[in-house]
Amino acid sequence: LIFTRRCNDLIFQTAAIKLFMPKSKRRRYVDFTYQHHTVSNGLVTFGGIETGFDDPLALHNLDVYKRKHIPERQQRKVDVETCSVQSDENGKLREIYYISPASLRQRDDADSTSVNTVVARFESPYCGPDQTQYLT
């Protein structure tokens, strides 16, 4: 399953980095917009899109993503969230924007078509409760 569907490959990749690479050499790239999600039965079940702090088309890219991956009846409910993200060990926090359609469906009690159970930790960009993500 890991090799054919990439199921849980992130866990192993992350473990390898954290075990064998010193924190001073790690880097999280937050200067470009990144989309990574899982689609099941036409719905985004995990992940989403996060903008790069240096992307001049960041808000445009969020709008395009919203129109493509969120049903029209739910688009007005979409919250563009912010998160402050650290790219290297002693780096400053950079503000990014993100949309996680899976969390939208979780909050939408009126959507009886959704059968997906979503766990908050699968939202993009894995922001903490204080909307901050430090390099770990």
Side-chain angles (χ1 to χ4, degrees), residues 12 19 47 65 83 97 102:
F12 297 107
L19 285 170
Y65 181 88
C83 185
Y97 302 102

Side-chain angles (χ1 to χ4, degrees), residues 77-89:
K77 300 176 187 177
V78 171
D79 293 326
V80 174
E81 305 285 348
T82 60
C83 185
S84 296
V85 179
Q86 187 179 38
S87 60
D88 52 53
E89 184 177 24

Side-chain angles (χ1 to χ4, degrees), residues 10-43:
L10 177 65
I11 294 168
F12 297 107
Q13 293 172 19
T14 302
I17 294 293
K18 288 187 175 190
L19 285 170
F20 301 113
M21 183 180 282
K23 191 174 183 180
S24 62
K25 301 238 184 229
R26 297 181 207 156
R27 177 161 171 76
R28 177 171 179 186
Y29 295 93
V30 295
D31 56 333
F32 60 92
T33 296
Y34 178 71
Q35 168 188 320
H36 187 107
H37 60 226
T38 301
V39 177
S40 178
N41 297 322
L43 298 172

Side-chain angles (χ1 to χ4, degrees), residues 45-83:
T45 55
F46 300 112
I49 183 172
E50 60 183 69
T51 64
F53 72 86
D54 204 23
D55 182 356
L57 297 175
L59 296 178
H60 169 76
N61 289 332
L62 288 175
D63 189 53
V64 169
Y65 181 88
K66 180 173 72 169
R67 284 186 273 122
K68 183 175 181 181
H69 296 290
I70 298 174
E72 191 172 336
R73 70 185 186 287
Q74 291 182 314
Q75 287 183 13
R76 63 181 169 74
K77 300 176 187 177
V78 171
D79 293 326
V80 174
E81 305 285 348
T82 60
C83 185

Side-chain angles (χ1 to χ4, degrees), residues 1-19:
L1 200 55
I2 293 169
F3 296 107
T4 58
R5 294 194 177 248
R6 297 190 63 205
C7 183
N8 292 321
D9 64 323
L10 177 65
I11 294 168
F12 297 107
Q13 293 172 19
T14 302
I17 294 293
K18 288 187 175 190
L19 285 170

